[in-house]
Amino acid sequence: MDDQLSDLEGGALAFIARNGPTTSYAVAKDFADSPSEFWSGSAGAVYPLIKRVLARGLLEASKGKDGARARTRYTLTPAGLKAMKAWLLNAKRASSIGFDPLRTRIVHLDQVSAEERKEFLKQVQALLDAAKSETVWNDIPRLAAIHATVLEARQSWLNALKALFD
Amino acid sequence: MDDQLSDLEGGALAFIARNGPTTSYAVAKDFADSPSEFWSGSAGAVYPLIKRVLARGLLEASKGKDGARARTRYTLTPAGLKAMKAWLLNAKRASSIGFDPLRTRIVHLDQVSAEERKEFLKQVQALLDAAKSETVWNDIPRLAAIHATVLEARQSWLNALKALFD
DNA sequence: CACCACATGTAAATGGTTACATGATTCT
DNA sequence: AGAATCATGTAACCATTTACATGTGGTG
């Protein structure tokens, strides 16, 4: 019954669906270039993942050539597209709380002194601010726009948290 | 050089620092009861973790008795407190983007039709709304207040995202 | 020529997961 | 009496991680 995709698998298939015939390398790079450091986008994660979903019939391999180089490119099968959409539109999982390094700390921030707390929150704010001017995803307007909302949302959340500690 | 704590370890030590002499069971339950489903708080994760940090000299074990039952309770050593605070006040890690099941989906949401997208966002909003009335962490005002800011921040972020897809 | 990006993997270690096992205590 | 909770683990499994290996092609 568990034909559901993991979030890494889902993200990989969605990327392939968008790009058409795609190499494992390109999938790995996509994860590595994302502003989240949660997934490293390492070969050790992605190459086995692609083989896994290929074995499940969700991908089709096409062995092509690029000059002397052999290239294996993958495309979604109809079943793959269906699985990807089921992953993507899973509202229940989308609405769940994931992992947030700030949230896991905030719940324990009352254990330090007011000065340490203030200094910490100031530093986080500065880093969040600095993240805005980082050139990540700037070449793709769609992603840049989404990333901007993420950073803004984090900042206003941080302000709400600051108010809690007054 | 890598004497840093993982986020699960840091959270566990912070919980023990707060509670005083604590059993592994209580640590596991704390994670299991948190509104985030990211860590299951299973015995298989927590008991080995406690042994790990104990071996690193960050915890002290006190084998006590509770009637006929043997109880092992753990307390932070000075080194443990130091490591915990270093974890807690690590602004760089706190400001980084973790894993968000909604964010991983949103970046690919342009691949479905406007109707599917609208329906999905509606469902997520409804689930986020329903989460507000769930009785989680309600017994601890500090945590309830933090959790409320998390849910509110997610809702206003979702509204910002909706605007992007218009 | 050196270096970097492209490309495809593998190996070992790690730190989680679920499931299982055992037993005492408390609640209904 | 039976169920739930407290408490302490272990075992098998799994998907990651880092690091390594190998080679091609384009760029400064």
Side-chain angles (χ1 to χ4, degrees):
Chain A
M1 211 64 167
D2 202 347
D3 51 357
Q4 282 180 47
L5 297 172
S6 74
D7 290 294
L8 189 60
E9 289 166 350
L13 290 201
F15 177 75
I16 297 172
R18 174 186 306 283
N19 278 49
T22 310
T23 62
S24 298
Y25 179 84
V27 173
K29 196 169 186 313
D30 183 54
F31 282 110
D33 290 349
S34 116
S36 165
E37 291 152 36
F38 183 71
W39 286 307
S40 76
S42 62
V46 174
Y47 283 81
L49 178 151
I50 295 291
K51 285 200 172 171
R52 223 154 57 216
V53 287
L54 179 69
R56 281 168 64 183
L58 306 181
L59 286 178
E60 208 171 21
S62 73
K63 298 192 178 193
K65 283 208 172 171
D66 178 12
R69 275 194 282 207
R71 293 274 175 278
T72 309
R73 294 198 165 78
Y74 300 90
T75 322
L76 293 201
T77 61
L81 186 63
K82 205 182 146 194
M84 187 277 274
K85 277 189 71 174
W87 167 81
L88 182 62
L89 299 176
N90 187 336
K92 180 134 195 193
R93 269 171 68 170
S95 70
S96 78
I97 299 178
F99 162 68
D100 187 321
L102 181 54
R103 196 192 57 234
T104 62
R105 283 165 175 81
I106 284 289
V107 296
H108 293 114
L109 207 61
D110 61 321
Q111 294 195 62
V112 299
S113 72
E115 292 83 50
E116 288 174 303
R117 202 153 55 221
K118 203 181 157 191
E119 174 62 17
F120 171 75
L121 292 169
K122 204 179 111 188
Q123 283 176 20
V124 173
Q125 188 172 47
L127 287 164
L128 242 39
D129 222 50
K132 278 188 184 175
S133 39
E134 264 167 45
T135 59
V136 68
W137 273 3
N138 278 5
D139 41 341
I140 303 158
R142 187 186 93 258
L143 298 181
I146 291 173
H147 189 48
T149 69
V150 170
L151 292 178
E152 271 168 51
R154 274 179 93 65
Q155 275 193 318
S156 55
W157 174 48
L158 184 63
N159 283 328
L161 287 171
K162 276 182 176 173
L164 274 190
F165 285 103
D166 283 343
Chain B
M1 213 61 166
D2 201 349
D3 50 359
Q4 282 180 47
L5 297 172
S6 74
D7 291 293
L8 189 61
E9 289 167 349
L13 290 200
F15 177 74
I16 297 173
R18 174 187 306 283
N19 278 48
T22 310
T23 62
S24 298
Y25 179 83
V27 173
K29 194 169 187 314
D30 184 54
F31 282 110
D33 290 349
S34 116
S36 164
E37 290 152 36
F38 184 70
W39 286 308
S40 76
S42 62
V46 174
Y47 282 81
L49 177 151
I50 296 292
K51 285 200 171 171
R52 221 154 60 214
V53 286
L54 179 70
R56 281 169 65 182
L58 307 181
L59 285 177
E60 208 172 21
S62 73
K63 298 193 178 191
K65 285 210 173 169
D66 178 12
R69 276 194 281 206
R71 291 275 175 279
T72 310
R73 293 198 165 76
Y74 301 91
T75 322
L76 292 200
T77 61
L81 186 62
K82 205 182 146 195
M84 187 276 274
K85 276 188 72 174
W87 167 81
L88 182 61
L89 298 176
N90 187 334
K92 180 134 194 192
R93 268 170 68 171
S95 71
S96 77
I97 299 177
F99 161 69
D100 187 320
L102 182 54
R103 195 193 57 235
T104 61
R105 283 165 174 80
I106 285 290
V107 296
H108 292 114
L109 207 61
D110 61 321
Q111 293 195 61
V112 298
S113 72
E115 292 84 50
E116 288 173 303
R117 202 153 55 222
K118 205 182 157 190
E119 173 62 17
F120 171 75
L121 292 169
K122 205 179 111 187
Q123 283 175 19
V124 173
Q125 188 172 48
L127 288 164
L128 242 39
D129 222 50
K132 277 189 183 174
S133 38
E134 264 167 45
T135 60
V136 67
W137 274 2
N138 278 4
D139 41 340
I140 304 159
R142 188 186 93 259
L143 298 180
I146 292 173
H147 189 48
T149 69
V150 170
L151 292 179
E152 271 167 53
R154 274 178 93 65
Q155 276 193 318
S156 55
W157 175 47
L158 184 64
N159 282 329
L161 287 170
K162 277 182 176 173
L164 274 190
F165 285 105
D166 282 344

